[in-house]
Each structure stands twice: as C-alpha cells, then as structure tokens.
Amino acid sequence: MTGDGGREMDAADQGVESLIPPLPDLPAAEAAAAAPIPGYGPTTDTVAVQAQSRRNWGRVIGGFAASLVVLTGVGFVVATINERVHVSPQVAALADVQGAADAASATVAVAGGGIATAHWSDEGADLVLVTQRVPPVEDGETLAVWVLRDGDPVEVGTLEVDAAGGATLVVDDWKPAETVIVTLERAGDTADRPLGDTIAQIPTD
C-alpha cells in the first residue's frame, strides 16, 4: 500500500513511542552535572534515632539528678551521726548535766577578764566548768582548778584556754555543795594547795 494510507499504517506499527523524538546523547560530564543531587537532611529514620537518643539522655540525666539528691541526703545523715558519735567527752558530759532534771549552774566574772560557769546536777557525779573570753596566760603559768572539800582545797585539773578564751573541764569526783576555785599558778608546781592568786570562786550550794 502506498501513499497516505501506507504512512498511517507505518505509524501505527511503530507505536506512540515513534512520535517522541529521541533524547540527544550527552557527554559524561554534562550527564553527571544534570544528575539529581542526593539530599543532606536527616531521613525519617535519622530523626527517630535522634529523638530516641534525646529521650535516653533525659532519662540518664534525670536518674543522675535523683541519685545526687539521695546521696546528698545520705551524706547529711552520715555527717550528723558521725558528729554525734564523735563528740568530745567534755561536750557529752556537759550535755548530760544540762539534761538532768535538777540541772543547776552559776556564773562569775574572772579576774582579768571573761567569765566562768559551773554546771552541775545532784543526780550525777560530774561538774563541768566552762570559761569564756578568758585572756591567755603568760608562758610558765597555768590555770589550776580546785574544789574546797571539808575546808581543804583539792586540785581537780587545769584549764587549757584556747585562742577565744574558752576552756572546758569535767570534774568527775565532785560532791554537792563543794566550792570551785580557779587560781593562777606557776606551771609545773606540785604544791598540794593554791599558791597563786585566786581569779574565780564559784559556790555550788
């Protein structure tokens, strides 16, 4: 068949694709430049992983903060218990005397400055002598403490005054109604009665 009819049959035999002009051949460099550029943003999977990581870190930080609070509380309790267990004998004795039902005390001025307070209880066997703001003694001197027992002075210890003028002495063989006396003595003196000046005298009757 010739003519227009033949051309129509050829077109039908070739199909629709024959009507689309072929793409021109491109050099390799141009083809690479025209290729789609892969995206650099996070994919859906990456976003999910990052969100999960943030949640995990949140749990870790929250757990650490809670642990820190618990440890702080435990440390405070341990420190409090340790402080109570390791108090000095003088502080413990003073607390016992002050906590007695018949606790009593008397305060006098100390010659040269400061005060001295005697704490006692008839229920207990201890008397605790506490000084405040007492000036330090000179080298070669000491503060001796006595109790006047049956009219005779008996030495019961010495006061070790700190930089603030404070000292505490527990008199463990004290008897009710005895008078406490503090004297300024020469260090190392072994006399069985006061030889120096009396700087404080506290009656306990």
Side-chain angles (χ1 to χ4, degrees):
M1 184 179 293
T2 60
D4 294 337
R7 285 194 296 273
E8 291 174 358
M9 292 180 63
D10 293 340
D13 293 340
Q14 294 174 2
V16 180
E17 292 180 358
S18 64
L19 301 177
I20 301 174
L23 293 174
D25 294 334
L26 295 177
E30 294 182 10
I37 300 175
Y40 289 93
T43 64
T44 302
D45 292 341
T46 303
V47 172
V49 170
Q50 291 176 345
Q52 183 62 37
S53 297
R54 285 192 293 270
R55 286 193 294 270
N56 292 339
W57 271 110
R59 294 191 188 99
V60 171
I61 294 174
F64 176 76
S67 300
L68 186 60
V69 171
V70 172
L71 289 175
T72 302
V74 171
F76 174 78
V77 172
V78 171
T80 303
I81 294 174
N82 185 65
E83 180 180 355
R84 291 181 178 178
V85 170
H86 293 86
V87 295
S88 66
Q90 292 87 348
V91 173
L94 180 60
D96 289 341
V97 170
Q98 291 178 324
D102 63 341
S105 65
T107 301
V108 299
V110 176
I115 59 175
T117 302
H119 300 267
W120 72 89
S121 165
D122 291 342
E123 291 182 356
D126 292 342
L127 178 144
V128 182
L129 180 64
V130 180
T131 66
Q132 295 175 281
R133 303 186 302 277
V134 173
V137 297
E138 301 291 338
D139 291 341
E141 294 180 331
T142 187
L143 295 177
V145 180
W146 314 75
V147 293
L148 194 58
R149 183 169 298 165
D150 298 328
D152 294 323
V154 178
E155 186 174 6
V156 292
T158 58
L159 291 175
E160 301 295 334
V161 180
D162 60 22
T168 302
L169 176 68
V170 178
V171 182
D172 55 11
D173 61 348
W174 169 83
K175 293 178 175 57
E178 293 181 336
T179 299
V180 180
I181 301 173
V182 182
T183 62
L184 182 63
E185 304 289 340
R186 290 182 299 180
D189 210 332
T190 58
D192 58 0
R193 63 177 48 251
L195 298 177
D197 296 332
T198 298
I199 62 173
Q201 183 168 318
I202 310 172
T204 63
D205 49 10

